[in-house]
Amino acid sequence: MSEFTQPKATFADRKRKTVETAEFTEDGRYLRKVRSFVLRTGRLSEYQKNAMNRHWADYGLEYQNTPFDFAAIYGNENPVILEIGFGMGTSLVEMAKNNPDRNYLGIEVHTPGVGACVALAVQENVSNLRVICHDAIEILRDSIAKQSLGGLQLFFPDPWQKSKHHKRRIVQPEFIRLIQQKLKCGGFIHMATDWQNYAEHMLETLQNNGRLQNQSPTNDYIPRPDFRPPTKFEQRGQRLGHGVWDLYFIYQS
């Protein structure tokens, strides 16, 4: 290979640029969307890149405009728990390992986290986990059937602290209505944040949906349940005195 020849991009390299589908207006202009994330294309380590390149066929799913067949994907009828924004995937892999009677589906737009999650799943020999590197709203809208999820997990999403950016928060009434359509009766919504203003916003948004029942005895927040492993980010925040608010609601059709 000439010293001036660029090495061929691998699957993992290409994946960094495909987190959403392009949409256009009727006159052909690109439709700008308010997104709940900023795509930070951090460097993929060789370890993360190799995990994605070698094991995507086992762990990765791609966006599709028809619903996933979860029974075929996982090889069983166990409930599917969706987690949006799993970061580096440590707690998601731990939950999947600790709950073999559940299937887990994680969505994350940042490829280093996706690669790290796949690598850890391989290391821990976890088979009940699949990951997607794509815009979660598009996946929910197009790729997940109605009444097909056993639960939704949303832990420490970007709080978009400034008031002018609150519209970018993923937890909005429209998002909750979309999730509600995808949950089976008795399915759960479990959220956690370390930003009190966002916790209050989450609580109000969830409580305004008449089909969601708060599982808190005080009708607000619950202590962190044992089945949600604390993240390194969360533990660091707690050492600094930061609070954490967990919300847990059940959907009743």
Side-chain angles (χ1 to χ4, degrees):
M1 177 183 294
S2 166
E3 62 178 315
F4 300 107
T5 302
Q6 292 294 326
K8 185 177 180 180
T10 67
F11 167 80
D13 296 313
R14 296 192 302 271
K15 192 63 182 167
R16 292 153 63 82
K17 302 178 181 180
T18 58
V19 298
E20 67 171 344
T21 57
E23 296 182 14
F24 300 88
T25 60
E26 291 183 358
D27 59 355
R29 291 180 291 110
Y30 176 70
L31 181 63
R32 294 182 61 86
K33 292 172 284 186
V34 177
R35 299 193 302 186
S36 63
F37 60 89
V38 174
L39 188 59
R40 297 180 292 272
T41 53
R43 180 180 177 274
L44 268 168
S45 70
E46 288 302 310
Y47 181 66
Q48 295 161 352
K49 185 184 297 186
N50 289 340
M52 289 183 70
N53 288 334
R54 294 172 182 172
H55 301 285
W56 192 255
D58 298 319
Y59 288 97
L61 295 178
E62 300 291 344
Y63 164 86
Q64 59 185 54
N65 59 11
T66 56
F68 294 125
D69 182 345
F70 288 137
I73 290 169
Y74 293 99
N76 58 59
E77 299 285 348
N78 292 341
V80 177
I81 311 303
L82 172 65
E83 180 166 330
I84 295 175
F86 57 74
M88 302 304 283
T90 305
S91 63
L92 178 59
V93 171
E94 183 175 346
M95 293 184 80
K97 184 177 180 179
N98 292 340
N99 298 278
D101 57 338
R102 289 180 168 185
N103 298 318
Y104 287 84
L105 175 62
I107 303 177
E108 176 58 63
V109 295
H110 302 297
T111 45
V114 175
C117 184
V118 171
L120 184 58
V122 172
Q123 176 183 312
E124 297 294 332
N125 195 30
V126 170
S127 61
N128 58 330
L129 172 64
R130 300 293 184 274
V131 297
I132 302 173
C133 188
H134 198 87
D135 183 347
I137 299 299
E138 293 182 353
I139 295 294
L140 279 166
R141 183 191 66 198
D142 301 334
S143 307
I144 295 181
K146 293 181 178 180
Q147 300 178 351
S148 65
L149 295 177
L152 167 78
Q153 299 178 167
L154 182 67
F155 301 145
F156 306 99
D158 193 326
W160 294 101
Q161 297 99 320
K162 295 181 180 179
S163 296
K164 66 179 180 179
H165 291 154
H166 284 183
K167 64 183 178 181
R168 291 184 175 272
R169 290 174 168 177
I170 190 171
V171 180
Q172 304 291 349
E174 317 87 74
F175 172 73
I176 299 302
R177 286 193 291 269
L178 180 59
I179 291 295
Q180 176 188 303
Q181 294 173 8
K182 308 301 179 175
L183 287 175
K184 295 180 178 180
C185 182
F188 68 84
I189 294 178
H190 185 186
M191 299 182 180
T193 180
D194 64 340
W195 192 258
Q196 185 173 1
N197 175 267
Y198 200 4
E200 294 167 352
H201 171 78
M202 289 175 171
L203 180 61
E204 180 181 4
T205 305
L206 290 166
Q207 286 185 326
N208 284 340
N209 187 303
R211 294 188 174 180
L212 296 174
Q213 297 182 355
N214 195 342
Q215 301 303 292
S216 164
T218 53
N219 203 36
D220 48 16
Y221 311 105
I222 63 171
R224 182 188 65 82
D226 292 339
F227 55 78
R228 181 178 74 76
T231 66
K232 289 183 179 179
F233 167 81
E234 178 181 2
Q235 292 171 325
R236 182 172 65 248
Q238 288 178 324
R239 288 195 296 270
L240 295 173
H242 298 174
V244 173
W245 292 265
D246 276 72
L247 304 94
Y248 199 90
F249 283 69
I250 298 293
Y251 170 61
Q252 300 293 339
S253 59

